[in-house]
Amino acid sequence: MNFHIPTAMLLTAITTLIMGLSLAFTVTDYPRALQVPIRQWVRSLLVSPFAFLLFALRERIPDWASIVLANVLLIVSTTLLVQALRSYNRLGSLRAWSVANIAITLAAVSVMTYVWPSIAGRTLLVAGQLAVLFVFGIAAIYRPADQVTNPERMVASFLVVGVLVMILRMTYASDPLMTTLLDSTPMQSIVFTYGALMPVIATSGFLLMCGQRLNKDLARLATLDPLTEVFNRRTMTDLANKAVAASKRHGRPLSLLILDIDHFKRINDEFGHEAGDLALCRFVELVREMLRSSDVVARIGGEEFVVLLPDTDQASAAVLAERIRQHLHATEFTVSGWPVPLRVSIGVGSIGPEVSNLESLLREADHAMYEAKRTGRDRVVLAADLRAASKSES
């Protein structure tokens, strides 16, 4: 039974168009970070049906449409697909290269259609360009390889098959059995079977990629404060409980800072809540600049933060707290050109004989922080000093 090329092309065009339109209606249901690559993928799905339709109408419509325009649209569609993969993995745009490649396709296919007509030449050109684009798509997925997910491997594997098919097509570019594009030959059957399956399999894989990214982002957001992107209170509690247990088990020091931005309400009242949000984000940036990678930052209230310091004794924690306070002093923060001072009151607590669990550690550090507020703000107070003062008074 012969493989009827025009029918296969029409079916591929209809299937791809339906998938593209269906996906277009769901784009806004995805987070903004995924909408860009999905829109690029949708554009690819909406362009390729016209390429296949023009190929199917070969010998019924002019050559400029069925050959030149069809091949250009095929390259445009594949380019959009590759750009969607690059956008998904936050890689740069290939806009300049893509425009040049499309222009070369237009010029070269026109020449080999009207000046020096050559089916073999057009086949070599277009198959070679598709192979290169598929390689770009594979490279966009494997960026480093240890982060590649199974859905990405699925899409990459199908692109690898596409590279092999295009190389095979180039090898048999001068197929003696093919006099026109619509001739049914074994080589044509392989190429158009792949062309018919690609939109379905690749789109399925891409949607699985987006679903997995969405689930990962949701899990990440469940652990983070959405504004400052540091850990939230619940996650901090879990991590701190584990740190306390490890400290007691191995006899290692553990300290904790509670930081509260001074006069934060004044920033909101004078400059607006947007300025307050900027101040919170800038505050987190400055604090993080002073910390190690093993230290944990969490937002536990409006302008209140916790810094968990593994393997840090009270003296070292006090030194760090003072460095943070001075760093905030030395750094300018402005809103609409107006200087806004970022000052902080810090309470320091450490695990020890009188502080053996997270609840008491938080309570003592919080007490020290409020003492810093009470005695003038913009200072560091140690919980141990408060305990010592209390004992001497009694």
Side-chain angles (χ1 to χ4, degrees), residues 89-339:
N89 282 322
R90 301 178 180 90
L91 300 175
S93 172
L94 296 173
R95 186 182 301 274
W97 181 88
S98 300
V99 170
N101 190 47
I102 292 167
I104 290 171
T105 302
L106 175 62
V109 172
S110 298
V111 168
M112 286 184 281
T113 300
Y114 294 106
V115 182
W116 299 294
S118 171
I119 294 178
R122 292 198 302 264
T123 299
L124 282 169
L125 172 71
V126 176
Q129 287 178 306
L130 290 174
V132 171
L133 286 169
F134 290 156
V135 169
F136 277 138
I138 296 166
I141 291 173
Y142 284 91
R143 60 301 140 215
D146 61 340
Q147 297 178 8
V148 178
T149 64
N150 287 332
E152 288 177 300
R153 290 189 182 93
M154 171 183 168
V155 176
S157 298
F158 202 65
L159 292 177
V160 170
V161 173
V163 173
L164 297 177
V165 169
M166 290 304 110
I167 291 174
L168 186 63
R169 188 70 189 90
M170 293 167 66
T171 304
Y172 292 95
S174 300
D175 190 342
L177 299 176
M178 189 179 77
T179 57
T180 70
L181 179 69
L182 302 183
D183 288 340
S184 180
T185 68
M187 189 67 254
Q188 290 289 83
S189 299
I190 293 172
V191 171
F192 286 103
T193 297
Y194 177 81
L197 292 175
M198 181 181 177
V200 177
I201 296 177
T203 300
S204 298
F206 183 71
L207 289 177
L208 288 172
M209 287 165 53
C210 292
Q212 192 168 68
R213 172 70 62 79
L214 180 59
N215 290 334
K216 183 178 178 181
D217 288 346
L218 289 174
R220 178 173 169 270
L221 288 173
T223 66
L224 299 182
D225 171 61
L227 174 63
T228 59
E229 295 191 347
V230 296
F231 290 119
N232 57 28
R233 189 184 193 106
R234 185 180 67 180
T235 306
M236 182 280 298
T237 301
D238 293 340
L239 294 173
N241 275 318
K242 292 176 182 177
V244 169
S247 172
K248 294 168 66 177
R249 184 167 58 250
H250 301 293
R252 294 176 178 171
L254 175 69
S255 295
L256 181 145
L257 311 180
I258 291 186
L259 307 89
D260 192 276
I261 302 175
D262 295 331
H263 301 298
F264 183 74
K265 186 176 182 299
R266 188 182 300 170
I267 298 176
N268 280 331
D269 292 344
E270 294 184 5
F271 299 97
H273 289 281
E274 184 177 351
D277 290 346
L278 292 174
L280 288 170
C281 293
R282 182 58 175 154
F283 174 82
V284 168
E285 289 177 5
L286 295 172
V287 170
R288 276 179 159 170
E289 289 175 2
M290 310 304 293
L291 301 179
R292 305 165 299 181
S293 60
S294 59
D295 299 333
V296 175
V297 187
R299 184 183 180 193
I300 59 173
E303 65 270 20
E304 193 171 358
F305 296 81
V306 164
V307 177
L308 190 65
L309 303 169
D311 299 316
T312 305
D313 59 21
Q314 177 182 273
S316 299
V319 170
L320 174 62
E322 181 60 25
R323 288 177 59 206
I324 291 173
R325 190 190 68 80
Q326 292 179 7
H327 187 47
L328 290 169
H329 258 283
T331 305
E332 291 186 1
F333 174 69
T334 60
V335 175
S336 301
W338 292 91

